[in-house]
Amino acid sequence: MNSLLVCVVTLATFCNCLQFPSSFKKCDKRRSDFNDCLSGVVYDTLRILDKPLKSHGLPSLHDVEFPSDAFLEIGNSTYGLLQKISNYRLIGLSKPQSVKTRLDFGPLISTLTIEASYPELTWECQYEGHGTAVLLPLNVITPVELIMDNPTFIFTIKLEEYYKGAVYFKAVESELDMNRADGIKYDFKRLFQNRRLNHEFNSAMNEKGLQILGIFKHLQGIFAPHVTSIFNSFLEKVPVAELFVE
Ligand SMILES: *[C@@H]1O[C@H](CO)[C@@H](O)[C@H](O)[C@H]1NC(C)=O
């Protein structure tokens, strides 16, 4: 191990006292505008996370890649169509239009609710279909893009306090509601070789946009633990006293 690395590691071990970037504002718990203040902080933080924030162990939220166990499989290749949607990426989470945040302090568990609204969010995934679609044999793997129009994502995070030299928060549970949007556009890139058919198929999907969105509900359960761990990589480094004026 070279000496610079030893030095950095030693510093990191002894100085667990991360300084908040000055662009983050500390909100006063006792003030009536606490939640408005917090909304501003969360908005700014999301914007800052367009790029990763290495000092706080936070990944960029501009382009979030889902773990490979996040996939949806439906149907049957012998009787009908076996469909698999995988390799999810969510693009644009760092660019909210508005954010409403509320933190309800409890004796044991505090609840943080973040409602983030976006002009647009894009999912990029891989679609696989094997079997028949209305008797027409189909065997295809294609990229697909889903564009949500005016979505609002609601994150509910349960926080528990613990003491390790100072009081820290730990996210113990997260819930996610990603099903609010004004519309959704589907763009299967190469579902059919016939480009006109492909185009018309996407148009037909778009007409039923929101009706089809429900099928992606399962993603919420898969994404939630991911959200919990992103929050924790931040919270374990920053004591509560650095977050709020108490
Ligand atoms: C499809 O479903 C039928 C009826 O439930 C079942 O017998 C068959 O094994 C399934 N085929 C595949 C490939 O899963």
Side-chain angles (χ1 to χ4, degrees):
M1 215 192 289
N2 71 46
S3 58
L4 178 64
L5 186 57
V6 174
C7 177
V8 170
V9 170
T10 313
L11 262 179
T13 319
F14 284 103
C15 184
N16 222 341
C17 47
L18 268 171
Q19 287 304 304
F20 233 54
S22 52
S23 47
F24 286 109
K25 199 164 101 198
K26 250 184 176 186
C27 300
D28 189 337
K29 261 168 88 167
R30 296 157 305 188
R31 287 179 58 121
S32 60
D33 65 354
F34 173 70
N35 284 325
D36 290 338
C37 174
L38 201 58
S39 300
V41 171
V42 173
Y43 176 89
D44 290 345
T45 307
L46 282 170
R47 290 266 163 177
I48 287 170
L49 289 178
D50 203 46
K51 303 267 180 311
L53 192 60
K54 295 229 166 66
S55 57
H56 291 72
L58 292 175
S60 163
L61 294 182
H62 166 66
D63 180 348
V64 178
E65 224 169 292
F66 280 54
S68 58
D69 61 351
F71 66 86
L72 168 68
E73 203 172 74
I74 40 174
N76 175 311
S77 61
T78 316
Y79 298 91
L81 188 62
L82 173 68
Q83 307 182 71
K84 185 174 172 184
I85 307 170
S86 57
N87 296 4
Y88 293 92
R89 279 169 57 198
L90 176 59
I91 293 148
L93 206 57
S94 55
K95 296 229 170 63
Q97 188 167 51
S98 65
V99 172
K100 257 196 292 183
T101 303
R102 215 180 55 237
L103 180 53
D104 298 312
F105 290 94
L108 295 172
I109 301 276
S110 300
T111 305
L112 177 68
T113 313
I114 299 172
E115 263 188 62
S117 298
Y118 297 83
E120 188 179 286
L121 279 173
T122 303
W123 293 96
E124 281 182 12
C125 341
Q126 175 177 281
Y127 174 87
E128 261 179 81
H130 303 286
T132 51
V134 198
L135 302 182
L136 175 72
L138 193 69
N139 248 309
V140 74
I141 299 179
T142 173
V144 55
E145 199 175 79
L146 286 75
I147 302 172
M148 299 177 90
D149 179 28
N150 272 323
T152 295
F153 281 11
I154 305 171
F155 302 86
T156 310
I157 299 125
K158 302 275 182 205
L159 300 167
E160 209 174 69
E161 283 184 11
Y162 68 100
Y163 188 83
K164 207 181 89 190
V167 177
Y168 288 84
F169 268 141
K170 180 185 167 69
V172 286
E173 199 188 309
S174 302
E175 259 176 54
L176 194 51
D177 177 350
M178 307 194 289
N179 262 30
R180 293 173 203 207
D182 287 349
I184 183 159
K185 285 203 284 287
Y186 300 82
D187 186 6
F188 287 85
K189 302 296 180 185
R190 291 180 300 274
L191 190 56
F192 303 105
Q193 276 174 0
N194 181 324
R195 287 176 65 178
R196 217 174 82 204
L197 176 58
N198 199 69
H199 175 79
E200 293 301 334
F201 177 83
N202 281 324
S203 304
M205 287 283 291
N206 293 343
E207 275 169 35
K208 306 273 184 201
L210 285 178
Q211 200 178 322
I212 302 167
L213 181 63
I215 208 155
F216 292 96
K217 247 191 158 148
H218 78 290
L219 268 187
Q220 299 177 175
I222 295 167
F223 198 27
H226 201 51
V227 173
T228 310
S229 73
I230 290 177
F231 267 87
N232 278 332
S233 56
F234 172 69
L235 293 170
E236 69 195 15
K237 295 187 190 72
V238 188
V240 173
E242 288 278 323
L243 297 172
F244 317 113
V245 179
E246 306 212 46

